Amino acid sequence: MAMEKRLQKELQALVNDPPVGIKVDADQIGQNLSEWLVNVDGAPGSIYNGEKFQLQFKFGSRYPFESPQVVFVGPNIPVHPHVYSNGHICLSILTDDWSPALSVQSVCLSVVSMLSSCKEKKRPPDNAIYVKTCSKNPKKTRWWYHGKQCYHSEYKTSLLGMSSMGINT
Amino acid sequence: MSSEFKYDPEVNYDEATMAQQRQIEKEVATKQQLIGPQEDLSQLEMEFAEDAVYFQKTKCLQKKYSHMRRTRGDGNCFYRAFCFAYFETLLHNRTEYDRFKDIAARSKEMLLSLGFPQFTLEDFHDVFMEVLEKVGSQCALDDLLDTFNDQGHSDYLVVYLRLLVSGHLQKEDEFYSNFVEGGRSVQEFCSQEVEPMGKESDHIHISALTAATGVSIQVEYLDRGSDDSVIGHVFPEGTTPQIYLLYKPGHYDILYK
């Protein structure tokens, strides 16, 4: 099966030759490889220097043609304008811009780079309402990627005053 | 639309919307194979019996073409139609096959030199070359059709062509930057509109794929343009087309003379 073959190859590469600050917990991974935990260090020189985070990856049978489900888990969820307090991440490569040429490693590196470019620790503006109403699976959120801003769609539609437009969803 | 919509912050609308979208995708998938059988072009005429403009245009199209093959509208139809139609011609054209095989074999190095990760690129290139080998062994047409209708194999081919397009656009970055809309860089355009599966293709994608592969195609545009004729565009301009595609807004099928 394409998914298992590909994940096997990715796992081997991450275990044998991990990028700095990224470490996969190979013992945690079950037989069918469909769920991984990856330990990620805040990059030196960034405001997350010295912090340790954990990313959970879940893969469907259509991986790598469909993106993995990726969330922060564990005791330390980074405080960042694109990371919700429940661990959901607003990052375009995790949904709209996912490509089968990306990998677990490239996702981890993108997440670290997203953290590193942040100058001030704060939660997304719509954190409270999102965490209250969202699905457990962040892929079931329709994210709006707009320059440096990032919203889930209901926040955007409420901003636009959708109800006044009488749009029927 | 029944009653006026009232936004309820307690409700998760995203899930409902996406469930509906998945349902539509499923319906499309059960109705249409990735690459369908060859059918008489008069079938298209029946499809537009109720629409005078399109009906007249399909009549006109039948003067130039005899058959068609439908493809699944999953956002990858241009790549899949291109690949199948071209591989089909390679079954009977050794000289062209040898030319293309050489380009395909060398394309991996080109993509690696542009910074695509070897790790994932390799898989897609390997499967692409495997299927090309099969074409080289002059497999039966049905065999080729089966390969293209097996989603596992078929999507590998689509991904590789997407990477080829992305690679070509980035290599010719200076030229193509004039055609990228929305104030994006060519690289951003590639990661948003080329590399992800299901993103539809436009002139810029077609231009890049034909340039990267050296394959000439003619696209017949079936749309609501003013007169009864169907406008055909050859990519690259001035070349002799090797394959023919039919464009209906948002979708590509294959045409045969």
Side-chain angles (χ1 to χ4, degrees), chain A residues 14 17-25 37-44 48-55 57 72 104-105 107-113 115-116:
Chain A
L14 261 187
D17 188 18
V20 179
I22 289 167
K23 193 166 173 290
V24 62
D25 197 340
L37 287 176
V38 183
N39 296 304
V40 175
D41 296 341
Y48 302 96
N49 183 25
E51 288 189 65
K52 294 197 173 302
F53 308 108
Q54 202 164 43
L55 284 171
F57 282 73
F72 279 105
V104 175
Q105 174 164 330
V107 168
C108 291
L109 293 174
S110 292
V111 169
V112 170
S113 139
L115 293 179
S116 299

Side-chain angles (χ1 to χ4, degrees), chain B residues 178-208:
Chain B
N178 302 308
F179 304 97
V180 168
E181 289 167 354
R184 291 178 282 185
S185 69
V186 169
Q187 199 173 8
E188 283 168 332
F189 178 80
C190 288
S191 60
Q192 294 169 0
E193 307 294 342
V194 182
E195 292 168 26
M197 292 297 275
K199 293 289 174 84
E200 289 175 12
S201 299
D202 216 331
H203 276 242
I204 184 169
H205 305 81
I206 303 179
S207 160

Side-chain angles (χ1 to χ4, degrees), chain B residues 6 16 61 72 78 82 100 137 147 161 206 218 232 234 250 255:
Chain B
K6 242 185 142 94
L61 204 60
R72 186 181 299 168
F78 167 68
F82 171 92
F100 181 70
S137 71
T147 304
L161 292 183
I206 303 179
Q218 179 159 345
V234 179
L255 285 170

Side-chain angles (χ1 to χ4, degrees), chain A residues 22-160:
Chain A
I22 289 167
K23 193 166 173 290
V24 62
D25 197 340
D27 298 336
Q28 288 268 355
I29 297 173
Q31 194 85 85
N32 69 353
L33 301 176
S34 65
E35 206 171 312
W36 300 19
L37 287 176
V38 183
N39 296 304
V40 175
D41 296 341
S46 77
I47 56 174
Y48 302 96
N49 183 25
E51 288 189 65
K52 294 197 173 302
F53 308 108
Q54 202 164 43
L55 284 171
Q56 179 194 60
F57 282 73
K58 286 185 182 175
F59 305 94
S61 60
R62 290 270 299 138
Y63 182 81
F65 299 105
E66 280 177 7
S67 63
Q69 198 191 118
V70 184
V71 292
F72 279 105
V73 292
N76 194 23
I77 307 287
V79 178
H80 183 281
H82 294 179
V83 180
Y84 291 84
S85 55
N86 63 354
H88 287 195
I89 308 164
C90 183
L91 182 64
S92 63
I93 60 161
L94 296 178
T95 54
D96 292 15
D97 295 349
W98 168 258
S99 150
L102 298 172
S103 60
V104 175
Q105 174 164 330
S106 54
V107 168
C108 291
L109 293 174
S110 292
V111 169
V112 170
S113 139
M114 177 190 88
L115 293 179
S116 299
S117 63
C118 180
K119 301 276 175 279
E120 187 192 355
K121 288 188 185 182
K122 56 178 181 193
R123 289 275 179 230
D126 54 341
N127 188 65
I129 177 174
Y130 177 70
V131 170
K132 201 168 139 201
T133 58
C134 69
S135 161
K136 274 204 178 108
N137 178 356
K139 285 179 66 184
K140 290 190 175 167
T141 298
R142 287 158 68 221
W143 300 101
W144 292 86
Y145 308 103
H146 185 77
K148 288 200 157 83
Q149 292 297 323
C150 205
Y151 304 114
H152 74 282
S153 68
E154 272 143 49
Y155 183 71
K156 191 188 175 198
T157 47
S158 58
L159 280 182
L160 289 173

